[in-house]
Amino acid sequence: MSHRVSILSSHLSPVMASEKEAALAATPSDSPTIFDKIISKEIPSTVVFEDDKVLAFRDITPQGPVHILLIPKVRDGLTGLSKAEERHIDILGRLLYTAKLVAKQEGLDEGFRIVINDGPQGCQSVYHIHVHLIGGRQMNWPPG
């Protein structure tokens, strides 16, 4: 390992490292995900928005003062953005519009970031499409 890589590795937070490890270990499947269990209320969550199509709840490992996950209540084969088909256009738009509504509800008038991780290199660890709404702090560019 080069000295530069060693220095960079030593500055990664345990959460970042474990998220990356989880993403690399995750495999897409049709089996129920943790999000399916949150939708069915088998696993508790702090819900901030819910309608017949979308559930939004606070992330348990927030990356900002506000970090909310928005998920479709029905997966319909939409495990990640790269798996989207024309039939998913409505729910994809609904997720983004709902993110805007929740951002306003959360007082993120100065801005926010939307993130959709896709696949192992995109650090996706749950194969049920989800939108991260992150705000309440100054974001940097480029992202990690």
Side-chain angles (χ1 to χ4, degrees), residues 108-124:
L108 300 177
D109 301 324
E110 298 297 315
F112 51 89
R113 179 166 289 165
I114 295 296
V115 176
I116 299 175
N117 300 328
D118 190 86
Q121 289 192 348
C123 214
Q124 183 178 6

Side-chain angles (χ1 to χ4, degrees), residues 70 91-101 114 116 131:
L70 297 100
I91 192 61
L92 290 169
R94 181 76 166 256
L95 286 166
L96 291 178
Y97 182 73
T98 302
K100 175 253 185 194
L101 295 176
I114 295 296
I116 299 175
V131 174

Side-chain angles (χ1 to χ4, degrees), residues 1-17:
M1 177 179 341
S2 75
H3 180 66
R4 181 168 186 224
V5 172
S6 174
I7 290 170
L8 291 174
S9 300
S10 68
H11 285 63
L12 292 176
S13 75
V15 170
M16 286 173 44

